[in-house]
Amino acid sequence: MTTITNHMPTAELQALDAAHHMHPFTAGAELAAKGARIITRAKGVWLTDSEGNRIIDGMAGLWCVNIGYGRKELADVAARQIEELSYYNTFFQTSHVPAIALAAKIAELAPGDLNHVFFAGSGSEANDTNIRLVRRYWEIKGQPEKRVIIARKNGYHGSTLGGGSLGGMSGIHKNGGMLAGIVHIDEPNWWDQGGDATPEAFGLARAQQLEQKILEMGVENIAAFIGEPVQGAGGVIIPPSTYWPEIQRICDKYGILLIADEVITGFGRTGNWFGSETFGIRPHIMTIAKGLSSGYMPIGGSIVCDEIANVIGGAGDFNHGYTYSGHPVAAAVALENLRIMQEEKVVEHVRDVANPYLAKKWAALTDHPLVGEAKLVGLMGSIALTPNKATRARFAGDQGRVGYACRERCFANNLVMRHVGDRMIIAPPLVITPDEIDVLIERAWKSLDECLAGLKAEGTQIAA
Ligand SMILES: *Cc1c(COP(=O)(O)O)cnc(C)c1O
């Protein structure tokens, strides 16, 4: 076989990709017919493709490249760690410096008494760990029937069987079924589902579904509630201000465990180290991954409070773990990523510079005829596309058709912006500068204009 390199013609790479590579969350045959866009290098917030185009990455990869691409410090740390200790496990009463140092650093950054880290290789794995943690906790406490986990429709918690079951996406559930003992309540998506209620009243009502579900199933059967502080893959749904305080009140009142899935919102995304700080949530467990290593290495974990760690630790073996739990190279790289974030004050940059600068321009997108609402927290944002802002109407035909068309225009204009249904979403690297934000916004406007022109050409009415 010939060596496959960056210098091969794009069409040849695409043909090999189509012949041998199965892509996640992708219609294989459709992609094979079209050919994947092949990314060859990246630096800062900029991707380069095999045709030499420079693309601004409004999604930080998959919400993960918080410090931007191509930092040499991380390459150096990885190389050093591979030479010193390329691998060792942490199963049978052994440990190693990178896992120790990273766990201690995470405990220092995490709020409250979240002082213990169980490492995984990804966010999905960490959520699988969480299912075992909360069920095991109640079993040791003498309440083994407390097994049900309440989650939310259109939540995303990964795509392993456990993570995908916690998530509330029917498309994933249909792919092979789901675990027993997980139930879903409605999401706090006011734009789509709020009807005539104010966002505040709607947020409260959606949170109160948790209480109704607990009473319906019996609190003696409920182990935990899990939610993302801000739904990411569900479309960057920033909940009304009334939502999380009510969820917290209900979890406290009934003594059920609260899991905050911080895989996206952790490590600076919302302008604090954790989204739980931004929204005033006091979780017993946090799920982390993505920004933990800025995506340079696959690593995730569960940050666990004193009570749960002590109870589980005091009751014999916890029969769970991954070969790569706390992998030394991944841990060393994550630690270096966190060092850079702290020394370069990346979270402060989001809070004091990038968010305020982007917020004005993002809000101004509602001046565009297609944009009904524009939401932003820290550096995660979404806009709702609609044919009628006043009635928050949906487009005729399949949901997501217009969002997909808009994403295609963005990609053609060298901007990565994703669509979820007819919402467009961004989550750029946290180090994005005001000048780069200008480029992102300029390309977004151009793409929206082209999308609008396309809709008009096909005869779709857009309310003035
Ligand atoms: C991405 C994501 C996950 C899954 O993480 P993987 O590393 O892809 O397994 C879990 N929860 C949330 C909120 C995510 O955004």
Side-chain angles (χ1 to χ4, degrees):
M1 191 171 169
T2 55
T3 311
I4 298 169
T5 75
N6 266 352
H7 304 291
M8 273 176 92
T10 301
E12 278 179 46
L13 289 167
Q14 287 171 328
L16 286 165
D17 186 62
H20 304 295
H21 179 197
M22 294 176 79
H23 290 246
F25 289 101
T26 297
E30 186 187 319
L31 178 66
K34 182 175 168 184
R37 190 152 177 180
I38 292 159
I39 307 301
T40 50
R41 355 180 32 91
K43 189 83 185 164
V45 303
W46 297 95
L47 307 169
T48 304
D49 72 9
S50 55
E51 298 292 294
N53 294 301
R54 276 167 56 79
I55 306 161
I56 188 161
D57 186 2
M59 284 305 301
L62 281 177
W63 328 77
C64 55
V65 188
N66 288 10
I67 63 162
Y69 295 93
R71 292 286 302 242
K72 184 170 188 313
E73 297 92 326
L74 279 84
D76 292 345
V77 161
R80 271 206 304 278
Q81 186 60 46
I82 288 170
E83 285 191 64
E84 192 172 301
L85 179 69
S86 52
Y87 176 76
Y88 202 69
N89 73 79
T90 54
F91 277 36
F92 306 115
Q93 304 189 346
T94 59
S95 200
H96 52 66
V97 176
I100 296 167
L102 182 60
K105 171 55 81 179
I106 291 168
E108 175 197 314
L109 292 172
D113 67 347
L114 293 166
N115 289 319
H116 313 267
V117 186
F118 192 102
F119 286 112
S122 67
S124 303
E125 287 179 9
N127 278 326
D128 280 31
T129 297
N130 292 340
I131 296 172
R132 289 196 197 280
L133 281 172
V134 299
R135 289 179 173 172
R136 174 81 178 131
Y137 171 80
W138 289 117
E139 186 190 318
I140 299 166
K141 297 288 273 189
Q143 294 179 266
E145 63 293 342
K146 277 173 90 67
R147 288 175 63 80
V148 172
I149 301 173
I150 302 176
R152 299 166 323 158
K153 291 177 192 161
N154 203 35
Y156 187 77
H157 300 295
S159 99
T160 52
L161 190 52
S165 300
L166 291 172
M169 297 189 166
S170 54
I172 296 178
H173 297 162
K174 279 188 214 136
N175 262 305
M178 60 180 286
L179 282 184
I182 295 170
V183 295
H184 297 90
I185 58 174
D186 287 320
E187 58 175 320
N189 181 347
W190 176 80
W191 174 265
D192 225 30
Q193 299 160 29
D196 294 334
T198 63
E200 290 70 29
F202 175 75
L204 207 57
R206 283 291 154 102
Q208 284 163 355
Q209 282 194 8
L210 176 59
E211 188 158 29
Q212 290 151 18
K213 188 56 88 179
I214 292 170
L215 295 173
E216 175 195 321
M217 302 199 67
V219 66
E220 68 281 5
N221 296 311
I222 309 296
F225 171 78
I226 184 169
E228 307 155 80
V230 178
Q231 289 156 262
V236 184
I237 310 300
I238 302 170
S241 61
T242 46
Y243 182 78
W244 276 112
E246 184 67 1
I247 292 281
Q248 183 71 56
R249 182 191 72 75
I250 295 165
C251 289
D252 291 347
K253 177 173 173 190
Y254 294 96
I256 67 168
L257 300 175
L258 176 50
I259 307 168
D261 186 336
E262 295 260 9
V263 169
I264 289 174
T265 50
F267 306 102
R269 178 58 60 193
T270 68
N272 288 296
W273 277 93
F274 296 94
S276 290
E277 297 165 294
T278 304
F279 292 90
I281 309 165
R282 296 184 309 280
H284 298 93
I285 298 176
M286 274 184 187
T287 321
I288 53 172
K290 294 188 175 133
L292 168 59
S293 67
S294 282
Y296 282 67
M297 280 282 165
I299 184 168
S302 305
I303 323 181
V304 180
C305 69
D306 290 342
E307 160 73 9
I308 296 178
N310 292 336
V311 166
I312 289 179
D317 281 352
F318 179 48
N319 292 311
H320 176 70
Y322 308 105
T323 301
Y324 298 135
S325 284
H327 191 288
V329 182
V333 167
L335 193 62
E336 178 68 359
N337 171 59
L338 297 180
R339 183 193 68 75
I340 292 175
M341 285 194 65
Q342 279 192 303
E343 282 183 15
E344 298 184 1
K345 299 196 180 334
V346 172
V347 182
E348 291 84 345
H349 170 78
V350 174
R351 190 186 63 209
D352 302 333
V353 180
N355 167 276
Y357 190 81
L358 175 60
K360 281 200 205 81
K361 295 176 183 254
W362 195 249
L365 287 172
T366 56
D367 293 340
H368 193 279
L370 280 181
V371 178
E373 71 164 2
K375 304 285 275 181
L376 182 74
V377 58
L379 283 179
M380 61 192 297
S382 58
I383 52 179
L385 307 183
T386 175
N388 188 328
K389 304 178 191 213
T391 62
R392 314 207 300 272
R394 291 184 174 182
F395 293 97
D398 288 347
Q399 236 202 311
R401 183 180 68 92
V402 176
Y404 179 77
C406 182
R407 188 197 77 173
E408 292 288 279
R409 294 322 311 151
C410 291
F411 217 15
N413 289 319
N414 292 327
L415 164 65
V416 177
M417 177 152 74
R418 243 170 88 182
H419 82 108
V420 176
D422 293 322
R423 274 186 105 82
M424 306 304 299
I425 62 177
I426 57 160
L430 303 185
V431 296
I432 193 169
T433 64
D435 285 350
E436 290 163 342
I437 289 172
D438 286 344
V439 176
L440 186 155
I441 291 288
E442 192 186 306
R443 291 182 184 179
W445 269 98
K446 181 166 188 271
S447 306
L448 286 165
D449 285 345
E450 290 171 4
C451 185
L452 177 63
L455 285 168
K456 284 188 171 157
E458 69 174 28
T460 297
Q461 296 289 323
I462 307 295

PDB file of all heavy atoms in Angstrom, residues 188 197-212 239-247 249-250:
ATOM      1  N   PRO A 188     -35.900  22.815  28.950  1.00  0.00           N
ATOM      2  CA  PRO A 188     -36.294  24.223  29.127  1.00  0.00           C
ATOM      3  C   PRO A 188     -36.047  25.060  27.859  1.00  0.00           C
ATOM      4  O   PRO A 188     -35.351  26.078  27.911  1.00  0.00           O
ATOM      5  CB  PRO A 188     -35.403  24.674  30.288  1.00  0.00           C
ATOM      6  CG  PRO A 188     -34.157  23.861  30.135  1.00  0.00           C
ATOM      7  CD  PRO A 188     -34.589  22.523  29.571  1.00  0.00           C
ATOM      8  N   ALA A 197     -46.295  31.483  27.399  1.00  0.00           N
ATOM      9  CA  ALA A 197     -45.724  31.752  28.726  1.00  0.00           C
ATOM     10  C   ALA A 197     -44.518  32.679  28.612  1.00  0.00           C
ATOM     11  O   ALA A 197     -43.851  32.720  27.573  1.00  0.00           O
ATOM     12  CB  ALA A 197     -45.301  30.438  29.383  1.00  0.00           C
ATOM     13  N   THR A 198     -44.225  33.434  29.666  1.00  0.00           N
ATOM     14  CA  THR A 198     -42.962  34.173  29.698  1.00  0.00           C
ATOM     15  C   THR A 198     -41.844  33.151  29.871  1.00  0.00           C
ATOM     16  O   THR A 198     -42.078  32.056  30.409  1.00  0.00           O
ATOM     17  CB  THR A 198     -42.908  35.147  30.886  1.00  0.00           C
ATOM     18  OG1 THR A 198     -42.968  34.373  32.099  1.00  0.00           O
ATOM     19  CG2 THR A 198     -44.046  36.159  30.836  1.00  0.00           C
ATOM     20  N   PRO A 199     -40.621  33.492  29.449  1.00  0.00           N
ATOM     21  CA  PRO A 199     -39.503  32.558  29.671  1.00  0.00           C
ATOM     22  C   PRO A 199     -39.369  32.169  31.147  1.00  0.00           C
ATOM     23  O   PRO A 199     -39.114  30.996  31.457  1.00  0.00           O
ATOM     24  CB  PRO A 199     -38.281  33.342  29.183  1.00  0.00           C
ATOM     25  CG  PRO A 199     -38.831  34.273  28.138  1.00  0.00           C
ATOM     26  CD  PRO A 199     -40.204  34.665  28.646  1.00  0.00           C
ATOM     27  N   GLU A 200     -39.582  33.114  32.052  1.00  0.00           N
ATOM     28  CA  GLU A 200     -39.411  32.828  33.483  1.00  0.00           C
ATOM     29  C   GLU A 200     -40.454  31.805  33.968  1.00  0.00           C
ATOM     30  O   GLU A 200     -40.116  30.839  34.663  1.00  0.00           O
ATOM     31  CB  GLU A 200     -39.522  34.113  34.315  1.00  0.00           C
ATOM     32  CG  GLU A 200     -38.358  35.084  34.136  1.00  0.00           C
ATOM     33  CD  GLU A 200     -38.326  35.759  32.760  1.00  0.00           C
ATOM     34  OE1 GLU A 200     -39.416  35.943  32.149  1.00  0.00           O
ATOM     35  OE2 GLU A 200     -37.215  36.075  32.282  1.00  0.00           O
ATOM     36  N   ALA A 201     -41.701  32.025  33.588  1.00  0.00           N
ATOM     37  CA  ALA A 201     -42.759  31.097  34.009  1.00  0.00           C
ATOM     38  C   ALA A 201     -42.538  29.724  33.380  1.00  0.00           C
ATOM     39  O   ALA A 201     -42.706  28.683  34.024  1.00  0.00           O
ATOM     40  CB  ALA A 201     -44.128  31.654  33.612  1.00  0.00           C
ATOM     41  N   PHE A 202     -42.109  29.736  32.139  1.00  0.00           N
ATOM     42  CA  PHE A 202     -41.872  28.475  31.431  1.00  0.00           C
ATOM     43  C   PHE A 202     -40.709  27.705  32.069  1.00  0.00           C
ATOM     44  O   PHE A 202     -40.790  26.476  32.280  1.00  0.00           O
ATOM     45  CB  PHE A 202     -41.582  28.774  29.959  1.00  0.00           C
ATOM     46  CG  PHE A 202     -41.205  27.568  29.160  1.00  0.00           C
ATOM     47  CD1 PHE A 202     -42.155  26.641  28.773  1.00  0.00           C
ATOM     48  CD2 PHE A 202     -39.874  27.351  28.808  1.00  0.00           C
ATOM     49  CE1 PHE A 202     -41.795  25.517  28.035  1.00  0.00           C
ATOM     50  CE2 PHE A 202     -39.503  26.234  28.080  1.00  0.00           C
ATOM     51  CZ  PHE A 202     -40.470  25.319  27.691  1.00  0.00           C
ATOM     52  N   GLY A 203     -39.637  28.419  32.400  1.00  0.00           N
ATOM     53  CA  GLY A 203     -38.475  27.784  33.031  1.00  0.00           C
ATOM     54  C   GLY A 203     -38.857  27.116  34.344  1.00  0.00           C
ATOM     55  O   GLY A 203     -38.436  25.991  34.652  1.00  0.00           O
ATOM     56  N   LEU A 204     -39.671  27.801  35.113  1.00  0.00           N
ATOM     57  CA  LEU A 204     -40.137  27.266  36.390  1.00  0.00           C
ATOM     58  C   LEU A 204     -40.979  26.004  36.173  1.00  0.00           C
ATOM     59  O   LEU A 204     -40.791  24.983  36.846  1.00  0.00           O
ATOM     60  CB  LEU A 204     -40.970  28.345  37.095  1.00  0.00           C
ATOM     61  CG  LEU A 204     -41.049  28.310  38.607  1.00  0.00           C
ATOM     62  CD1 LEU A 204     -39.662  28.381  39.229  1.00  0.00           C
ATOM     63  CD2 LEU A 204     -41.923  29.464  39.106  1.00  0.00           C
ATOM     64  N   ALA A 205     -41.883  26.095  35.203  1.00  0.00           N
ATOM     65  CA  ALA A 205     -42.769  24.951  34.937  1.00  0.00           C
ATOM     66  C   ALA A 205     -41.959  23.737  34.488  1.00  0.00           C
ATOM     67  O   ALA A 205     -42.226  22.606  34.916  1.00  0.00           O
ATOM     68  CB  ALA A 205     -43.810  25.330  33.886  1.00  0.00           C
ATOM     69  N   ARG A 206     -40.965  23.979  33.639  1.00  0.00           N
ATOM     70  CA  ARG A 206     -40.158  22.853  33.166  1.00  0.00           C
ATOM     71  C   ARG A 206     -39.359  22.224  34.311  1.00  0.00           C
ATOM     72  O   ARG A 206     -39.223  21.001  34.399  1.00  0.00           O
ATOM     73  CB  ARG A 206     -39.245  23.295  32.017  1.00  0.00           C
ATOM     74  CG  ARG A 206     -40.002  23.438  30.690  1.00  0.00           C
ATOM     75  CD  ARG A 206     -40.421  22.055  30.201  1.00  0.00           C
ATOM     76  NE  ARG A 206     -41.594  22.027  29.345  1.00  0.00           N
ATOM     77  CZ  ARG A 206     -41.570  21.908  28.009  1.00  0.00           C
ATOM     78  NH1 ARG A 206     -40.423  21.863  27.362  1.00  0.00           N
ATOM     79  NH2 ARG A 206     -42.686  21.821  27.335  1.00  0.00           N
ATOM     80  N   ALA A 207     -38.840  23.056  35.218  1.00  0.00           N
ATOM     81  CA  ALA A 207     -38.094  22.518  36.363  1.00  0.00           C
ATOM     82  C   ALA A 207     -39.032  21.709  37.252  1.00  0.00           C
ATOM     83  O   ALA A 207     -38.656  20.663  37.794  1.00  0.00           O
ATOM     84  CB  ALA A 207     -37.443  23.642  37.146  1.00  0.00           C
ATOM     85  N   GLN A 208     -40.271  22.183  37.399  1.00  0.00           N
ATOM     86  CA  GLN A 208     -41.220  21.497  38.296  1.00  0.00           C
ATOM     87  C   GLN A 208     -41.630  20.129  37.777  1.00  0.00           C
ATOM     88  O   GLN A 208     -42.125  19.292  38.534  1.00  0.00           O
ATOM     89  CB  GLN A 208     -42.420  22.403  38.572  1.00  0.00           C
ATOM     90  CG  GLN A 208     -42.004  23.487  39.560  1.00  0.00           C
ATOM     91  CD  GLN A 208     -42.942  24.671  39.625  1.00  0.00           C
ATOM     92  OE1 GLN A 208     -43.903  24.756  38.858  1.00  0.00           O
ATOM     93  NE2 GLN A 208     -42.644  25.597  40.531  1.00  0.00           N
ATOM     94  N   GLN A 209     -41.391  19.878  36.501  1.00  0.00           N
ATOM     95  CA  GLN A 209     -41.604  18.513  35.999  1.00  0.00           C
ATOM     96  C   GLN A 209     -40.729  17.510  36.741  1.00  0.00           C
ATOM     97  O   GLN A 209     -41.072  16.339  36.843  1.00  0.00           O
ATOM     98  CB  GLN A 209     -41.298  18.437  34.497  1.00  0.00           C
ATOM     99  CG  GLN A 209     -42.390  18.993  33.620  1.00  0.00           C
ATOM    100  CD  GLN A 209     -42.200  18.580  32.170  1.00  0.00           C
ATOM    101  OE1 GLN A 209     -41.343  17.753  31.832  1.00  0.00           O
ATOM    102  NE2 GLN A 209     -42.996  19.157  31.288  1.00  0.00           N
ATOM    103  N   LEU A 210     -39.573  17.990  37.242  1.00  0.00           N
ATOM    104  CA  LEU A 210     -38.711  17.084  38.011  1.00  0.00           C
ATOM    105  C   LEU A 210     -39.436  16.623  39.274  1.00  0.00           C
ATOM    106  O   LEU A 210     -39.446  15.435  39.606  1.00  0.00           O
ATOM    107  CB  LEU A 210     -37.383  17.784  38.357  1.00  0.00           C
ATOM    108  CG  LEU A 210     -36.429  16.977  39.251  1.00  0.00           C
ATOM    109  CD1 LEU A 210     -36.044  15.646  38.614  1.00  0.00           C
ATOM    110  CD2 LEU A 210     -35.165  17.797  39.559  1.00  0.00           C
ATOM    111  N   GLU A 211     -40.060  17.567  39.956  1.00  0.00           N
ATOM    112  CA  GLU A 211     -40.788  17.225  41.185  1.00  0.00           C
ATOM    113  C   GLU A 211     -41.946  16.275  40.879  1.00  0.00           C
ATOM    114  O   GLU A 211     -42.166  15.279  41.583  1.00  0.00           O
ATOM    115  CB  GLU A 211     -41.307  18.504  41.845  1.00  0.00           C
ATOM    116  CG  GLU A 211     -41.908  18.274  43.225  1.00  0.00           C
ATOM    117  CD  GLU A 211     -41.913  19.536  44.071  1.00  0.00           C
ATOM    118  OE1 GLU A 211     -41.989  20.653  43.494  1.00  0.00           O
ATOM    119  OE2 GLU A 211     -41.830  19.423  45.304  1.00  0.00           O
ATOM    120  N   GLN A 212     -42.671  16.584  39.795  1.00  0.00           N
ATOM    121  CA  GLN A 212     -43.786  15.715  39.416  1.00  0.00           C
ATOM    122  C   GLN A 212     -43.300  14.297  39.133  1.00  0.00           C
ATOM    123  O   GLN A 212     -43.923  13.316  39.541  1.00  0.00           O
ATOM    124  CB  GLN A 212     -44.517  16.272  38.190  1.00  0.00           C
ATOM    125  CG  GLN A 212     -45.299  17.553  38.491  1.00  0.00           C
ATOM    126  CD  GLN A 212     -45.414  18.466  37.267  1.00  0.00           C
ATOM    127  OE1 GLN A 212     -45.217  18.033  36.134  1.00  0.00           O
ATOM    128  NE2 GLN A 212     -45.717  19.737  37.501  1.00  0.00           N
ATOM    129  N   PRO A 239     -31.031  27.985  29.573  1.00  0.00           N
ATOM    130  CA  PRO A 239     -32.332  27.930  30.254  1.00  0.00           C
ATOM    131  C   PRO A 239     -32.728  29.290  30.823  1.00  0.00           C
ATOM    132  O   PRO A 239     -31.860  30.095  31.170  1.00  0.00           O
ATOM    133  CB  PRO A 239     -32.109  26.918  31.380  1.00  0.00           C
ATOM    134  CG  PRO A 239     -30.645  26.919  31.625  1.00  0.00           C
ATOM    135  CD  PRO A 239     -29.986  27.258  30.316  1.00  0.00           C
ATOM    136  N   PRO A 240     -34.030  29.548  30.970  1.00  0.00           N
ATOM    137  CA  PRO A 240     -34.483  30.759  31.651  1.00  0.00           C
ATOM    138  C   PRO A 240     -33.889  30.831  33.061  1.00  0.00           C
ATOM    139  O   PRO A 240     -33.586  29.793  33.654  1.00  0.00           O
ATOM    140  CB  PRO A 240     -36.006  30.604  31.690  1.00  0.00           C
ATOM    141  CG  PRO A 240     -36.338  29.671  30.572  1.00  0.00           C
ATOM    142  CD  PRO A 240     -35.169  28.732  30.475  1.00  0.00           C
ATOM    143  N   SER A 241     -33.755  32.042  33.590  1.00  0.00           N
ATOM    144  CA  SER A 241     -33.055  32.243  34.870  1.00  0.00           C
ATOM    145  C   SER A 241     -33.721  31.514  36.032  1.00  0.00           C
ATOM    146  O   SER A 241     -33.095  31.242  37.043  1.00  0.00           O
ATOM    147  CB  SER A 241     -32.989  33.731  35.182  1.00  0.00           C
ATOM    148  OG  SER A 241     -34.316  34.233  35.291  1.00  0.00           O
ATOM    149  N   THR A 242     -34.992  31.177  35.882  1.00  0.00           N
ATOM    150  CA  THR A 242     -35.730  30.512  36.954  1.00  0.00           C
ATOM    151  C   THR A 242     -35.463  29.004  37.024  1.00  0.00           C
ATOM    152  O   THR A 242     -35.833  28.362  38.007  1.00  0.00           O
ATOM    153  CB  THR A 242     -37.249  30.676  36.691  1.00  0.00           C
ATOM    154  OG1 THR A 242     -37.491  30.376  35.305  1.00  0.00           O
ATOM    155  CG2 THR A 242     -37.711  32.087  36.993  1.00  0.00           C
ATOM    156  N   TYR A 243     -34.857  28.453  35.987  1.00  0.00           N
ATOM    157  CA  TYR A 243     -34.816  27.000  35.846  1.00  0.00           C
ATOM    158  C   TYR A 243     -33.911  26.302  36.858  1.00  0.00           C
ATOM    159  O   TYR A 243     -34.364  25.460  37.641  1.00  0.00           O
ATOM    160  CB  TYR A 243     -34.383  26.636  34.424  1.00  0.00           C
ATOM    161  CG  TYR A 243     -34.355  25.143  34.162  1.00  0.00           C
ATOM    162  CD1 TYR A 243     -35.529  24.435  33.933  1.00  0.00           C
ATOM    163  CD2 TYR A 243     -33.153  24.442  34.169  1.00  0.00           C
ATOM    164  CE1 TYR A 243     -35.510  23.070  33.710  1.00  0.00           C
ATOM    165  CE2 TYR A 243     -33.113  23.075  33.936  1.00  0.00           C
ATOM    166  CZ  TYR A 243     -34.297  22.394  33.704  1.00  0.00           C
ATOM    167  OH  TYR A 243     -34.271  21.038  33.483  1.00  0.00           O
ATOM    168  N   TRP A 244     -32.627  26.665  36.892  1.00  0.00           N
ATOM    169  CA  TRP A 244     -31.688  25.917  37.736  1.00  0.00           C
ATOM    170  C   TRP A 244     -31.939  26.100  39.226  1.00  0.00           C
ATOM    171  O   TRP A 244     -31.827  25.141  40.001  1.00  0.00           O
ATOM    172  CB  TRP A 244     -30.234  26.215  37.345  1.00  0.00           C
ATOM    173  CG  TRP A 244     -29.794  25.356  36.195  1.00  0.00           C
ATOM    174  CD1 TRP A 244     -29.503  25.752  34.926  1.00  0.00           C
ATOM    175  CD2 TRP A 244     -29.619  23.932  36.211  1.00  0.00           C
ATOM    176  NE1 TRP A 244     -29.151  24.672  34.151  1.00  0.00           N
ATOM    177  CE2 TRP A 244     -29.216  23.546  34.913  1.00  0.00           C
ATOM    178  CE3 TRP A 244     -29.768  22.945  37.182  1.00  0.00           C
ATOM    179  CZ2 TRP A 244     -28.956  22.206  34.572  1.00  0.00           C
ATOM    180  CZ3 TRP A 244     -29.507  21.610  36.844  1.00  0.00           C
ATOM    181  CH2 TRP A 244     -29.105  21.262  35.550  1.00  0.00           C
ATOM    182  N   PRO A 245     -32.308  27.319  39.680  1.00  0.00           N
ATOM    183  CA  PRO A 245     -32.609  27.435  41.112  1.00  0.00           C
ATOM    184  C   PRO A 245     -33.740  26.491  41.549  1.00  0.00           C
ATOM    185  O   PRO A 245     -33.693  25.916  42.647  1.00  0.00           O
ATOM    186  CB  PRO A 245     -33.034  28.902  41.273  1.00  0.00           C
ATOM    187  CG  PRO A 245     -32.350  29.608  40.135  1.00  0.00           C
ATOM    188  CD  PRO A 245     -32.324  28.617  39.005  1.00  0.00           C
ATOM    189  N   GLU A 246     -34.719  26.300  40.689  1.00  0.00           N
ATOM    190  CA  GLU A 246     -35.835  25.419  41.021  1.00  0.00           C
ATOM    191  C   GLU A 246     -35.393  23.948  40.998  1.00  0.00           C
ATOM    192  O   GLU A 246     -35.775  23.165  41.872  1.00  0.00           O
ATOM    193  CB  GLU A 246     -36.996  25.667  40.042  1.00  0.00           C
ATOM    194  CG  GLU A 246     -38.260  24.881  40.333  1.00  0.00           C
ATOM    195  CD  GLU A 246     -38.968  25.281  41.635  1.00  0.00           C
ATOM    196  OE1 GLU A 246     -38.490  26.199  42.334  1.00  0.00           O
ATOM    197  OE2 GLU A 246     -39.988  24.635  41.961  1.00  0.00           O
ATOM    198  N   ILE A 247     -34.593  23.578  40.003  1.00  0.00           N
ATOM    199  CA  ILE A 247     -34.043  22.211  39.974  1.00  0.00           C
ATOM    200  C   ILE A 247     -33.240  21.946  41.248  1.00  0.00           C
ATOM    201  O   ILE A 247     -33.382  20.892  41.894  1.00  0.00           O
ATOM    202  CB  ILE A 247     -33.132  22.010  38.726  1.00  0.00           C
ATOM    203  CG1 ILE A 247     -33.950  22.039  37.433  1.00  0.00           C
ATOM    204  CG2 ILE A 247     -32.300  20.726  38.858  1.00  0.00           C
ATOM    205  CD1 ILE A 247     -34.696  20.769  37.103  1.00  0.00           C
ATOM    206  N   ARG A 249     -33.518  23.410  44.159  1.00  0.00           N
ATOM    207  CA  ARG A 249     -34.440  23.324  45.299  1.00  0.00           C
ATOM    208  C   ARG A 249     -35.072  21.928  45.393  1.00  0.00           C
ATOM    209  O   ARG A 249     -35.142  21.330  46.461  1.00  0.00           O
ATOM    210  CB  ARG A 249     -35.554  24.377  45.152  1.00  0.00           C
ATOM    211  CG  ARG A 249     -36.550  24.405  46.324  1.00  0.00           C
ATOM    212  CD  ARG A 249     -37.781  25.262  46.045  1.00  0.00           C
ATOM    213  NE  ARG A 249     -38.710  24.679  45.074  1.00  0.00           N
ATOM    214  CZ  ARG A 249     -39.536  23.665  45.311  1.00  0.00           C
ATOM    215  NH1 ARG A 249     -39.568  23.091  46.494  1.00  0.00           N
ATOM    216  NH2 ARG A 249     -40.338  23.183  44.364  1.00  0.00           N
ATOM    217  N   ILE A 250     -35.480  21.409  44.251  1.00  0.00           N
ATOM    218  CA  ILE A 250     -36.151  20.105  44.237  1.00  0.00           C
ATOM    219  C   ILE A 250     -35.175  18.984  44.604  1.00  0.00           C
ATOM    220  O   ILE A 250     -35.501  18.099  45.396  1.00  0.00           O
ATOM    221  CB  ILE A 250     -36.822  19.870  42.857  1.00  0.00           C
ATOM    222  CG1 ILE A 250     -37.939  20.897  42.644  1.00  0.00           C
ATOM    223  CG2 ILE A 250     -37.348  18.449  42.739  1.00  0.00           C
ATOM    224  CD1 ILE A 250     -38.427  21.018  41.204  1.00  0.00           C
TER     225      ILE A 250
END
